[in-house]
Amino acid sequence: MRIFTRLAEATHFLAQAVETKNNEALASASRTALPPSWVIDRLRERNDATPLVELYAGREFPLDQDEFKLGGHAKELGHIHIDFVRSAGGWEVEQIWMCR
């Protein structure tokens, strides 16, 4: 399991994994199974249009919450959600998924 202490670190990892089509790295960093490959393809397209690193520059994980989400419900990632949960060492990707 991959643990992140800063959101910039997490977005860099996610962007690099989708850019290089490294689904194994994504899968090993997520607590749950990856969504169908077409969802990851949509995430790749979003990253190509506006890199995740730029999209979330200057933002951080919340100090007072145990859950955090990027995207979802027609926000900056369309309907793709990247859910994080706080762990003892930082933040982990809980799941990547897409609502319809």
Side-chain angles (χ1 to χ4, degrees):
M1 188 60 50
R2 181 98 187 231
I3 297 174
F4 304 99
T5 57
R6 298 187 59 237
L7 185 57
E9 175 189 8
T11 57
H12 178 76
F13 167 79
L14 292 165
Q16 185 174 15
V18 297
E19 288 167 6
T20 61
K21 299 183 180 183
N22 191 346
N23 290 355
E24 294 80 23
L26 286 176
S28 69
S30 181
R31 287 184 167 190
T32 61
L34 290 181
S37 61
W38 65 269
V39 174
I40 302 299
D41 291 342
R42 297 298 82 73
L43 180 59
R44 183 175 300 108
E45 291 168 3
R46 290 288 181 164
N47 184 67
D48 288 345
T50 305
L52 295 174
V53 173
E54 292 177 18
L55 190 60
Y56 296 109
R59 292 182 58 186
E60 277 300 334
F61 290 118
L63 298 174
D64 60 346
Q65 296 176 19
D66 293 328
E67 297 177 349
F68 180 70
K69 178 185 300 291
L70 295 179
H73 305 301
K75 290 186 180 176
E76 63 277 355
L77 296 180
H79 292 281
I80 298 170
H81 302 245
I82 303 174
D83 295 344
F84 291 88
V85 292
R86 188 185 302 272
S87 68
W91 290 86
E92 298 175 10
V93 175
E94 181 175 33
Q95 66 178 338
I96 300 170
W97 59 287
M98 185 170 185
C99 64
R100 297 178 193 221

